[in-house]
Amino acid sequence: MLHLVLAALLLAQSAKDVASGPLREDSDATTEDWITRVLDYMESNPETLEELMTEDYAVTEGDIMLSSDRNAVDSVWPSTEIPFTISPESESRTWGILSAMAMVARHTCVSFHRRTSETNYLTFVMSKGCASFVGCIGGEQPVFVGPQCTRGNIVHEILHALGFYHEHTRSDRDQYVTVLHRNIMEGKERNFQKAKGETFGLEYNAASIMHYGGEFFSDNGLPTIVSKEEVMNMGQRKKMTDSDVQRVRLLYSCDPPKKTGRYNASAATGGRHSTGEKQHL
């Protein structure tokens, strides 16, 4: 908790200096108010923290590690059986990580197993926020899991790793949502730019687990993106929607849906398996 308070103080001080941050400073706001407000922002929007709080990597849209290619179909994994490791410092997050992978695997043909000797694999590492590269970049590929990252946040990052970008950057998004540029943090407007990408003919879905939440990168606590139709769960991180599942199935050429997709309970609580055994999720 201490590191979060220190981070909040740093962000609050930065906001005082440049009048830009997770929330614009009110002239009569106290330091305690700022700590509370910034911590609330960090708790609600962990996918923005990697960009806001680190200089170690080039990050855009809050949680996307920059790479050269934005076309998902050019960066799919060569197999639907994806190896992974969990770094020692992230062992305490094992249940959430395995549970997130199980959610992805449950209704798709993509599965995950502990790495043995594979060259290309995901490795879950501790970080300040939640972040991932998009698609298979080759070799050891980190997925960043910060203290505030929930199971749904981790699913979001796994889907990035499988090759998917944010739903709100679709070229047709203006038909469905409005971006309120006046409320966006200074310098973060680029995170709301539209981009061309594969949609597979599926309808825009503001409730997608890949969609921004309403206050991502808000400078003043007001919405940065609102739906033109009533959507109660825009940017939710509870479950994959039907369209999220369909995108994975289409990109990875899955057969008809699996009826079950349960994972090993002992593994979800940190259980180990012998070398060479593939525990599929």
Side-chain angles (χ1 to χ4, degrees):
M1 184 66 179
L2 178 59
H3 73 286
L4 293 178
V5 174
L6 291 174
L9 287 170
L10 288 173
L11 286 173
Q13 186 59 50
S14 174
K16 293 178 182 179
D17 292 340
V18 300
S20 178
L23 297 171
R24 192 184 306 278
E25 181 191 23
D26 297 326
S27 58
D28 58 348
T30 66
T31 300
E32 290 77 11
D33 290 337
W34 259 103
I35 293 174
T36 299
R37 293 163 68 185
V38 175
L39 286 175
D40 286 345
Y41 178 90
M42 295 169 71
E43 183 77 24
S44 301
N45 305 286
E47 290 160 21
T48 67
L49 300 184
E50 198 68 26
E51 181 176 346
L52 292 174
M53 297 177 63
T54 185
E55 297 179 356
D56 296 337
Y57 301 93
V59 184
T60 189
E61 297 179 27
D63 67 332
I64 292 178
M65 310 313 249
L66 289 176
S67 59
S68 59
D69 188 1
R70 193 176 174 85
N71 190 345
V73 297
D74 287 339
S75 56
V76 296
W77 287 73
S79 170
T80 58
E81 299 182 357
I82 299 177
F84 73 93
T85 64
I86 298 175
S87 66
E89 66 271 17
S90 298
E91 284 291 341
S92 63
R93 305 303 310 276
T94 295
W95 186 91
I97 292 168
L98 295 181
S99 181
M101 289 189 289
M103 184 187 295
V104 175
R106 188 166 296 124
H107 299 296
T108 74
C109 59
V110 175
S111 62
F112 304 87
H113 62 270
R114 295 271 185 176
R115 177 194 180 229
T116 54
S117 59
E118 295 90 346
T119 300
N120 301 327
Y121 61 99
L122 297 176
T123 182
F124 293 86
V125 299
M126 187 64 69
S127 190
K128 297 180 178 67
C130 328
S132 175
F133 289 91
V134 174
C136 180
I137 64 172
E140 181 184 42
Q141 179 170 332
V143 177
F144 299 87
V145 181
Q148 307 303 313
C149 300
T150 66
R151 178 180 68 161
N153 295 133
I154 300 171
V155 170
H156 179 100
E157 302 310 333
I158 291 172
L159 292 179
H160 276 319
L162 290 180
F164 297 97
Y165 279 87
H166 290 129
E167 183 79 348
H168 79 279
T169 63
R170 281 177 49 151
S171 59
D172 62 348
R173 66 103 184 276
D174 290 340
Q175 301 175 43
Y176 307 96
V177 298
T178 300
V179 175
L180 303 176
H181 295 277
R182 64 182 178 275
N183 297 330
I184 298 172
M185 297 178 197
E186 183 178 355
K188 302 305 179 184
E189 296 85 357
R190 66 176 184 173
N191 295 339
F192 295 82
Q193 292 177 349
K194 292 181 288 184
K196 294 181 180 179
E198 177 61 70
T199 66
F200 300 103
L202 295 172
E203 292 185 0
Y204 188 92
N205 185 5
S208 167
I209 203 167
M210 299 306 291
H211 200 285
Y212 262 15
E215 295 183 5
F216 273 35
F217 292 104
S218 174
D219 192 36
N220 51 20
L222 298 176
T224 53
I225 185 168
V226 295
S227 176
K228 292 183 177 181
E229 298 180 356
E230 184 174 357
V231 177
M232 299 300 295
N233 54 353
M234 186 174 71
Q236 58 82 26
R237 296 294 183 265
K238 298 296 184 182
K239 65 178 183 179
M240 291 175 64
T241 64
D242 289 343
S243 64
D244 293 327
V245 171
Q246 285 303 312
R247 287 186 181 91
V248 177
R249 296 182 59 78
L250 288 167
L251 183 59
Y252 284 88
S253 302
C254 295
D255 291 327
K258 293 184 291 185
K259 294 183 178 180
T260 61
R262 299 185 181 278
Y263 57 93
N264 188 292
S266 66
T269 55
R272 295 289 184 175
H273 295 265
S274 62
T275 301
E277 180 183 356
K278 287 186 176 181
Q279 176 226 342
H280 286 276
L281 299 175

